[in-house]
Amino acid sequence: MHSSEHLKSQLAAANRYADLIDERTLEYLNGRGISEEVAALYSLGTVTDPLAGHEGHVGWLSIPYITALGHCVGFKFRRLDDGKPKYGQPLGGTTHLYNVSDITKRSARIVITEGELDAVIVSGVLGMPAVGCPGVANWKAHYSRLFNGYDTVYVVGDNDLKEDGTNPGAEFNRRVASEVMNATIVNLPAGLDITDYYLQNGRDKTRRLLGITDESAVRG
């Protein structure tokens, strides 16, 4: 459980990072199809004047996990250079579904992506409710209950075939689709995630891939 003071400090940090987002971070996001306006909707930012436990990620992209009630329950960080690892999180941090506030939207359909920024693209750019799960290892069995009642739940894992023959994105698709009611797997071309597909094919074609042919995806 998160104490009220802990939640307040995390939200204050998320807001500070968002307010101080720098040009390097904006350039990175723009290259991933995310405008400054869309970034602001999800409080994406740059780790600056870090909260205790965030010191090792100064200058990284901040991706806060904010609930429908406006609480910040965690962070993911993404480095902007070619170093490894690409992603990090505070020591002792627990995993959650990302962008869970979209579950509260009146919609017959929703998308589950394999990653936070993919969810931002689907929700903030394509206009389809979406949540993100950072890989099959972070999917939890109880998550499936959150999606009961949807006509269709699109599951969009990365198509990332590895040199050893494994494909974690395909495993993500199979696992999630086997547990979520009314799930439909969206198969992407080899080597692409949904953001890559959007950047290559544009908004309209990507919306069609997700079954959006008009504005009926979101009711009300």
Side-chain angles (χ1 to χ4, degrees), residues 106-182:
R106 290 177 53 83
S107 177
R109 293 173 278 180
I110 194 167
V111 178
I112 302 174
T113 68
E114 190 188 4
E116 298 90 354
L117 297 183
D118 288 338
V120 171
I121 286 290
V122 175
S123 178
V125 178
L126 302 180
M128 180 82 158
V131 299
C133 178
V136 64
N138 292 304
W139 177 261
K140 300 173 183 177
H142 68 269
Y143 288 164
S144 62
R145 297 195 295 271
L146 297 170
F147 303 96
N148 292 343
Y150 286 98
D151 292 347
T152 308
V153 180
Y154 294 101
V155 183
V156 191
D158 306 343
N159 190 349
D160 49 359
L161 184 64
K162 305 298 185 184
E163 291 183 359
D164 62 3
T166 61
N167 191 327
E171 184 182 351
F172 175 86
N173 285 343
R174 287 191 297 268
R175 167 82 187 276
V176 175
S178 72
E179 298 182 13
V180 172
M181 186 182 300
N182 297 329

Side-chain angles (χ1 to χ4, degrees), residues 43-212:
S43 298
L44 304 179
T46 307
V47 180
T48 309
D49 185 16
L51 187 68
H54 297 186
E55 296 91 346
H57 301 98
V58 171
W60 291 35
L61 167 65
S62 165
I63 308 171
Y65 277 60
I66 296 177
T67 70
L69 295 176
H71 300 309
C72 179
V73 295
F75 287 87
K76 180 70 73 65
F77 305 119
R78 210 286 185 193
R79 69 188 311 146
L80 303 179
D81 56 26
D82 295 327
K84 301 292 184 181
K86 292 193 299 183
Y87 288 93
Q89 66 181 66
L91 184 65
T94 57
T95 59
H96 306 271
L97 282 179
Y98 176 74
N99 198 39
V100 291
S101 60
D102 268 19
I103 294 174
T104 67
K105 294 180 178 179
R106 290 177 53 83
S107 177
R109 293 173 278 180
I110 194 167
V111 178
I112 302 174
T113 68
E114 190 188 4
E116 298 90 354
L117 297 183
D118 288 338
V120 171
I121 286 290
V122 175
S123 178
V125 178
L126 302 180
M128 180 82 158
V131 299
C133 178
V136 64
N138 292 304
W139 177 261
K140 300 173 183 177
H142 68 269
Y143 288 164
S144 62
R145 297 195 295 271
L146 297 170
F147 303 96
N148 292 343
Y150 286 98
D151 292 347
T152 308
V153 180
Y154 294 101
V155 183
V156 191
D158 306 343
N159 190 349
D160 49 359
L161 184 64
K162 305 298 185 184
E163 291 183 359
D164 62 3
T166 61
N167 191 327
E171 184 182 351
F172 175 86
N173 285 343
R174 287 191 297 268
R175 167 82 187 276
V176 175
S178 72
E179 298 182 13
V180 172
M181 186 182 300
N182 297 329
T184 296
I185 292 174
V186 176
N187 292 304
L188 295 170
L192 300 187
D193 58 28
I194 193 65
T195 296
D196 298 324
Y197 187 92
Y198 162 71
L199 292 173
Q200 291 185 13
N201 295 281
R203 184 175 187 270
D204 291 344
K205 188 172 181 178
T206 309
R207 280 168 59 88
R208 288 195 296 272
L209 179 74
L210 298 174
I212 311 172

Side-chain angles (χ1 to χ4, degrees), residues 27-50:
E27 183 179 359
Y28 169 80
L29 291 172
N30 186 63
R32 299 299 292 164
I34 299 171
S35 67
E36 183 173 359
E37 292 73 22
V38 171
L41 293 175
Y42 299 88
S43 298
L44 304 179
T46 307
V47 180
T48 309
D49 185 16

